[in-house]
Amino acid sequence: MIARWLAPLALGLFAALLAWHVTLAQMPYALMRLATARVAAAGGVNRMTHAPLVTAKSRAIVRPSPDLLYSSCPFDLAGGPVLIEVPAIAAPYWSLSVFDARTDTAFVRNVRAAPTGVRVALLGTGQQAPAGYVAVRPEGGRGIALLRVLIDRTHDFGMIDKVRRAARCEVAAQR
């Protein structure tokens, strides 16, 4: 009697393990597609969107920090390399992070590593970075670049915001 149930039980266990594995493997991609769609709704793809100051209702993806200014660029490399430029921002701290299609961090620079700003070329297979740009090859060709700028009361907020809004993200062919 037990032998009769072993095969269906083993098949059920195999199916459950397979479904669990597929879910774990695909969940990061699904989450990034959702996040990219939400961020792109604010300003489009391959464009830097500069969010206003955080309020209690700010919740595009997660609850943001009220101590940070956010700019984001959902990118898609299908149209060619995407160039990101962040000028030197006179804030206590800023960072640019690039997250790939799997939600992994593909690139990070901050004010300490790049005090004069940063120029990044997001590249697909076979593409080359223009001179003066750091080459980054994000997995999956899609993702989000996120600029975060720390604000405090001892620095000129208006100037920090103006320089942050000078950060750009665009397809290389558009230049």
Side-chain angles (χ1 to χ4, degrees), residues 47-160:
R47 293 188 58 222
M48 188 70 77
T49 301
H50 307 286
L53 280 170
V54 171
T55 68
K57 295 183 181 192
S58 301
R59 301 259 190 303
I61 299 172
V62 296
R63 183 169 30 183
S65 169
D67 297 329
L68 297 174
L69 291 171
Y70 295 91
S71 297
S72 58
C73 174
F75 62 86
D76 184 347
L77 302 179
V82 172
L83 304 179
I84 300 173
E85 296 182 13
V86 177
I89 302 172
Y93 180 83
W94 62 264
S95 70
L96 174 69
S97 302
V98 176
F99 302 96
D100 67 15
R102 191 180 152 85
T103 70
D104 291 335
T105 305
F107 175 84
V108 176
R109 284 292 184 283
N110 62 35
V111 66
R112 291 186 182 122
T116 60
V118 65
R119 295 168 54 164
V120 177
L122 305 178
L123 307 169
T125 305
Q127 297 173 337
Q128 298 295 322
Y133 284 80
V134 176
V136 177
R137 297 186 187 281
E139 181 183 325
R142 293 182 178 179
I144 299 173
L146 181 62
L147 173 62
R148 292 173 274 216
V149 181
L150 179 65
I151 53 175
D152 69 16
R153 305 213 188 288
T154 64
H155 292 78
D156 181 358
F157 171 77
M159 183 56 71
I160 290 171

